[in-house]
Amino acid sequence: MISLFIVLAITSASGYVPVVPPQKRPHPLPAKDGGGFAGSRRGFLPALLLPAAMCVAPGLARAADRSPTNAAVTQSDLGVAVRKSVVRGAQAFDRLDGGWERFSDRFQLGSERAKRDARPAERVLPERARMDPVVCLGLLDGADMVFVSLVPSLSERDLGARLGETYRSYRRSFERSAGVNFSDDTAGELLPAQYNFLSYVHFRTYVDILIEKQVDFRPFYRTFQARLGAYVLAATTPDRDPPAKGTNPAALRAALSAGLLAADTALSRLRRAGLLLAWDVAGTSDTAVDDWAEGGADLVLSVALDGDASIGAQCLIQEQGYRLYPNFASAVVGAAVGRARTAAVGRALVGSGCEFTAEDYYMDTSYSSDPDKFEVKQVLVNLVIKGA
């Protein structure tokens, strides 16, 4: 083990990479020509890093082992230096690979790029409407009410005090990032950057309280999302007569149509309030709906939400390791479809764990092979409605 450390340390210090004959390597990559390693940089890089991985892997696998050997790997100066060298080496190769990708993409190198058509056109979105403080801040007020109703021994006053603390703690950093002074007089106008910050303040406060009170997150999250979606749906859509109850194909089709109509109405209201720029629904072809209503197949709907004003807060909270974030548009879509199907089938979907699921994915609609230019612009809501 010590000899392996010395070899790796020399490699890190001098840049010399020990060459192992192909027949000696324990896990050669498959090659199209019948021998050796695949002739590509993606095959070469894992092979080059393999000796380092062999040195570090035992220490990682036995992180809880307090033996002298493990301590030498994980705690000694040499062990720490080696592990850092492995990480820095991987980062260097990742940057090298990313640079090659950008170079190849720019000059259309490679057989697959030569076959590819021109890059996809830039997605053109409408300008954001002026944000309506009544609607947008009303969503946050609704989230507060739902949260207080679900957390034991938490009053609205207590929540308000905690919101103030979070606001003061993070305001300066958000102001520097957005280049906006939130304390300036904006003549009653709510800026997207301000709304994004306020969304972060509310949901980060929720997360902190849940952790302090040790609330069981999974059942809380299901109920919170359902009630929040119902609140947003009631605030953005007029009351309509529920669809006819029944599990026959006609009733299920009517329920789905009613749900999609309610979702479209709610998203239109959010767009006019400046919360969204555009949206699009896919997966509602006649064949897919018929297979769901008549054959019992799952129906998969994809709802693309462009330009959500709180998308920065959503990403930041998730990057910090938390799963409760301000996805109002996603919640209202799920609530609209779920409510319509509940009315038709005659039983609640929330908490069933099998009839209705929704997941959010974050997309950059601009094509680029440069990972440094990745910018989240769209939330793709994937809805799966189980067959009847």
Side-chain angles (χ1 to χ4, degrees), residues 8 11 16-19 25 37 43-53 93:
L8 192 57
T11 300
Y16 167 72
V17 179
V19 178
R25 305 191 189 213
F37 280 75
F44 173 73
L45 295 182
L48 190 60
L49 292 175
L50 184 59
F93 280 119

Side-chain angles (χ1 to χ4, degrees), residues 19-234:
V19 178
V20 182
Q23 64 272 17
K24 298 292 186 179
R25 305 191 189 213
H27 301 291
L29 299 177
K32 296 181 180 179
D33 58 0
F37 280 75
S40 69
R41 69 183 189 287
R42 293 192 181 277
F44 173 73
L45 295 182
L48 190 60
L49 292 175
L50 184 59
M54 292 174 60
C55 295
V56 179
L60 294 177
R62 299 190 297 270
D65 186 5
R66 301 302 180 184
S67 65
T69 301
N70 185 69
V73 175
T74 60
Q75 300 177 15
S76 68
D77 293 341
L78 179 59
V80 172
V82 169
R83 291 157 68 90
K84 289 182 178 179
S85 297
V86 172
V87 173
R88 286 195 294 267
Q91 292 172 339
F93 280 119
D94 185 63
R95 289 193 296 269
L96 178 63
D97 187 66
W100 176 256
E101 286 287 345
R102 292 189 291 271
F103 178 81
S104 301
D105 198 58
R106 178 180 179 184
F107 294 101
Q108 295 292 297
L109 301 180
S111 58
E112 294 303 319
R113 284 185 173 85
K115 298 176 184 178
R116 188 184 62 195
D117 295 332
R119 292 182 179 182
E122 184 78 15
R123 185 175 175 86
V124 179
L125 299 174
E127 292 185 3
R128 186 182 302 276
R130 182 172 181 175
M131 299 199 75
D132 186 340
V134 175
V135 174
C136 295
L137 298 181
L139 299 180
L140 296 176
D141 291 340
D144 289 347
M145 290 188 293
V146 172
F147 184 79
V148 170
S149 69
L150 295 177
V151 178
S153 66
L154 178 67
S155 65
E156 294 184 4
R157 182 176 180 178
D158 294 337
L159 177 60
R162 294 296 298 272
L163 289 172
E165 294 175 3
T166 307
Y167 182 93
R168 291 186 293 271
S169 298
Y170 294 100
R171 192 187 80 176
R172 293 302 182 189
S173 60
F174 272 80
E175 287 179 336
R176 288 193 297 268
S177 176
V180 177
N181 190 339
F182 296 155
S183 62
D184 287 346
D185 183 11
T186 57
E189 181 180 1
L190 178 65
L191 302 177
Q194 290 176 301
Y195 179 75
N196 179 67
F197 169 60
L198 293 175
S199 299
Y200 177 84
V201 167
H202 283 252
F203 280 77
R204 179 55 195 266
T205 302
Y206 301 163
V207 167
D208 292 340
I209 293 175
L210 291 177
I211 294 174
E212 291 175 6
K213 293 185 175 294
Q214 299 181 342
V215 176
D216 190 356
F217 183 76
R218 182 170 295 180
F220 167 86
Y221 180 76
R222 286 199 301 264
T223 306
F224 179 85
Q225 285 295 100
R227 292 187 183 181
L228 180 62
Y231 174 87
V232 179
L233 189 64

Side-chain angles (χ1 to χ4, degrees), residues 207-289:
V207 167
D208 292 340
I209 293 175
L210 291 177
I211 294 174
E212 291 175 6
K213 293 185 175 294
Q214 299 181 342
V215 176
D216 190 356
F217 183 76
R218 182 170 295 180
F220 167 86
Y221 180 76
R222 286 199 301 264
T223 306
F224 179 85
Q225 285 295 100
R227 292 187 183 181
L228 180 62
Y231 174 87
V232 179
L233 189 64
T236 55
T237 59
D239 292 333
R240 290 190 175 91
D241 294 332
K245 290 186 177 182
T247 57
N248 59 79
L252 292 176
R253 288 193 189 93
L256 179 63
S257 298
L260 293 176
L261 177 60
D264 186 79
T265 302
L267 294 177
S268 296
R269 183 69 186 94
L270 296 181
R271 181 185 61 80
R272 293 195 302 272
L275 190 65
L276 282 178
L277 295 183
W279 71 94
D280 185 48
V281 180
T284 58
S285 65
D286 293 338
T287 301
V289 174

